Amino acid sequence: MSLQVQTTQIALVTAEHELRYLRERNEVLTRCNHTLAMHASRAPLQKAQAVNKALACTAVQAEQSTFSLKEKNVIMDEEAEVAAEVQMVDEIMQVDGITLSGDGASHKNINYQSHHIMYTAHDGTGVTRFAGVQHEINHTSETQLQGWKDVIHEMCTMYNECMVGAMAGVANPRELITKVKGMLTDHAEDQKKLVCLFREWKEVCEREVRGEQALATLPPDNVIALLWQTTEGAIAAAGGIEGWESVDFFVWAGCCMHKDLNAVKGGNTHMQAWWGHNGVDGPVLLMNHDNTAAASGGPSTAQAHAVTN
């Protein structure tokens, strides 16, 4: 009876791993479909722009005009984007280490984040590759990290789709992450946090890659034994089978931003009161361009507002 239970539990563990693999594969396919849909959505506009450019640059009649996806033997538009990504991944797979660089800006309340990848070729030449610009919903460190994850995942997906059947091998995003040796950013606090988050992600990827490599060298019986040992440990930590089956986690955490803001506002009020009580002049008012113009325009409500605010 004990042997049957153990066999059933091993089969359950195997099924859970297969389910996890299928979920990960489904996520990859979903991202791939999204990428292809984005490429397809841009195709009509790119085609229209190409037609307009061809008509504007030629002196012949429209019915005699022709255009090509290549201009002076250079691949254009969408094909160029795909070729550039495939070339970049192929080069990265052949080097020992890479360095990442990024910077962000906003325009009309839209955040833009640029990405660059640098490495040294085998001939000693320094190489800098542009990895694209992304729209991001905000400028937090977590969002920027997710941007890097999306960029690298899309690059590897594009490479694997284009190199099916080739001898170049499969591009694994986690293996590319293990090649990252440094990041170049500005000195802002969000960038410091981004580097810390990226290092944590890299450590996870390195452990997963090393673990998979180690498992690949073991006989199947040893792998099953390790999986069973790990599963037993997880079940024991949960308090046994009954505790494992009853595990249901749901956590809510509240932000303390408003309390921090109240503390700052209260501190500022008391500080201003201390200036008046001790006869100390407060900070010099630094007016912006609009307030400066209002303050110099003579007595008015706008002037009073500019001077007191």
Side-chain angles (χ1 to χ4, degrees), residues 200-211:
E200 293 175 359
W201 178 39
K202 181 187 175 184
E203 290 177 357
V204 172
C205 292
E206 289 174 338
R207 292 171 182 173
E208 291 180 353
V209 170
R210 288 197 300 266

Side-chain angles (χ1 to χ4, degrees), residues 9-226:
Q9 291 176 331
I10 292 176
L12 176 61
V13 172
T14 303
E16 289 176 347
H17 281 273
E18 291 178 351
L19 179 60
R20 187 180 300 110
Y21 169 79
L22 292 175
R23 287 174 176 172
E24 293 176 352
R25 184 57 182 168
N26 181 64
E27 182 179 352
V28 171
L29 293 176
T30 301
R31 290 177 179 272
C32 176
N33 290 337
H34 176 70
T35 301
L36 294 176
M38 293 299 293
H39 288 320
S41 65
R42 292 195 297 264
L45 178 60
Q46 293 173 342
K47 181 178 179 181
Q49 291 175 342
V51 172
N52 293 334
K53 181 177 180 180
L55 293 175
C57 295
T58 183
V60 298
Q61 297 297 324
E63 60 269 19
Q64 297 176 337
S65 300
T66 58
F67 64 96
S68 174
L69 288 175
K70 290 187 177 182
E71 182 178 346
K72 298 181 180 179
N73 295 325
V74 177
I75 303 177
M76 299 175 61
D77 297 332
E78 190 172 341
E79 289 187 3
E81 180 182 355
V82 174
E85 290 186 357
V86 172
Q87 176 186 350
M88 180 160 49
V89 175
D90 185 67
E91 293 175 350
I92 293 175
M93 293 174 65
Q94 300 178 40
V95 300
D96 297 327
I98 61 177
T99 301
L100 307 183
S101 175
D103 199 4
S106 62
H107 178 64
K108 295 183 178 180
N109 296 323
I110 299 178
N111 294 298
Y112 298 90
Q113 189 73 25
S114 65
H115 304 85
H116 288 79
I117 301 178
M118 291 78 69
Y119 45 87
T120 301
H122 290 295
D123 60 358
T125 304
V127 179
T128 299
R129 297 298 187 202
F130 176 58
V133 175
Q134 283 189 324
H135 293 176
E136 297 184 341
I137 58 175
N138 55 49
H139 198 59
T140 64
S141 305
E142 290 79 6
T143 300
Q144 295 178 60
L145 176 64
Q146 186 60 48
W148 274 113
K149 290 182 178 180
D150 294 340
V151 167
I152 294 174
H153 187 277
E154 181 179 349
M155 287 167 46
C156 292
T157 300
M158 187 67 67
Y159 178 87
N160 294 332
E161 291 176 351
C162 294
M163 303 298 285
V164 173
M167 300 297 293
V170 177
N172 186 338
R174 295 174 301 174
E175 293 181 357
L176 261 66
I177 295 304
T178 62
K179 293 177 177 284
V180 178
K181 307 301 181 183
M183 295 185 69
L184 176 63
T185 70
D186 58 34
H187 60 278
E189 292 298 323
D190 65 303
Q191 297 303 299
K192 296 177 183 178
K193 183 178 180 181
L194 171 62
V195 172
C196 293
L197 294 175
F198 195 97
R199 287 191 61 181
E200 293 175 359
W201 178 39
K202 181 187 175 184
E203 290 177 357
V204 172
C205 292
E206 289 174 338
R207 292 171 182 173
E208 291 180 353
V209 170
R210 288 197 300 266
E212 290 179 357
Q213 293 173 347
L215 287 175
T217 62
L218 295 177
D221 292 341
N222 292 0
V223 174
I224 293 177
L226 286 173

Side-chain angles (χ1 to χ4, degrees), residues 269-288:
T269 300
H270 284 281
M271 181 173 60
Q272 293 183 10
W274 183 89
W275 294 336
H277 181 73
N278 292 273
V280 177
D281 294 334
V284 177
L285 180 64
L286 299 177
M287 294 182 290
N288 59 26

